[in-house]
Amino acid sequence: MSQKYNREYYFNTVTRESRWEPPAARDQKLGAKHILVKHEGSRRPSSWREEHISRTEEEAVAKINSILQRLISKDNPERLEDIAAVESDCSSAKRGGDLGLFEPGAMQKPFEDAVLGLKVGKLSGPVKTESGVHIILRTR
Ligand SMILES: O=C(N[C@H](Cc1nc2ccccc2[nH]1)C(=O)O)c1cc2ccccc2s1
């Protein structure tokens, strides 16, 4: 709060700049949890759970869609973290699929665009990147 003008202002602790207008959304860190199913065309067709990943992209989409059904089922929905720990081909599986907070520009564009298209707490449909096929839960 600025005493002189009795107005709230914004101070960036990294750049140490201050300004009246709130930081633009594009500066804000994003947060997401995800499940990744890799396929033979993935940038790195290997993971902690499978040394040589040979499923086709079509099979990866089918697997992602069956996982989606488990997440949105009305009678007994499962938690994304629990499925990620077993099924995700990303090393974040060990953290329940949690990618933590990341700067805009840090993740592959299709992934970031999908996160930006989600409200916090919402789940994506199948999202394709060079790494494979993802389901994304936006956390921040
Ligand atoms: O790039 C990663 N893992 C790759 C797979 C992958 N590719 C991605 C592309 C976009 C978002 C997450 C992604 N994860 C791998 O294990 O082959 C990351 C793992 C972790 C773990 C913790 C926090 C961030 C990250 S980013």
Side-chain angles (χ1 to χ4, degrees):
M1 177 64 80
S2 149
Q3 307 307 338
K4 186 172 177 189
Y5 298 100
N6 190 31
R7 257 183 78 184
E8 199 174 70
Y9 70 99
Y10 298 85
F11 178 71
N12 183 319
T13 55
V14 175
T15 62
R16 311 199 62 71
E17 66 169 19
S18 54
R19 49 185 178 181
W20 293 118
E21 59 286 344
R26 61 182 153 71
D27 301 346
Q28 298 305 311
K29 284 199 171 180
L30 303 169
K33 295 180 178 179
H34 79 133
I35 294 167
L36 170 63
V37 177
K38 290 188 175 182
H39 50 76
E40 63 188 351
S42 289
R43 182 186 283 184
R44 192 172 70 90
S46 170
S47 74
W48 64 274
R49 64 187 307 277
E50 198 173 357
E51 192 176 1
H52 299 290
I53 293 171
S54 58
R55 67 172 71 85
T56 64
E57 186 182 58
E58 188 183 4
E59 287 164 337
V61 171
K63 180 172 179 179
I64 276 289
N65 280 324
S66 63
I67 288 170
L68 260 175
Q69 293 313 310
R70 294 164 63 186
L71 291 168
I72 63 177
S73 110
K74 290 211 175 10
D75 41 7
N76 65 332
E78 297 175 59
R79 293 175 67 248
L80 180 140
E81 297 82 346
D82 298 334
I83 301 179
V86 173
E87 302 291 356
S88 182
D89 284 314
C90 175
S91 58
S92 60
K94 301 301 165 204
R95 311 160 24 130
D98 195 352
L99 295 168
L101 298 182
F102 49 91
E103 302 280 344
M107 298 292 178
Q108 290 175 45
K109 187 142 180 37
F111 187 93
E112 178 178 316
D113 290 347
V115 173
L116 290 171
L118 291 167
K119 287 194 172 76
V120 172
K122 294 298 182 190
L123 207 54
S124 74
V127 174
K128 290 182 182 177
T129 68
E130 290 179 13
S131 297
V133 190
H134 310 247
I135 295 170
I136 306 167
L137 173 69
R138 181 171 182 177
T139 56
R140 172 163 153 172

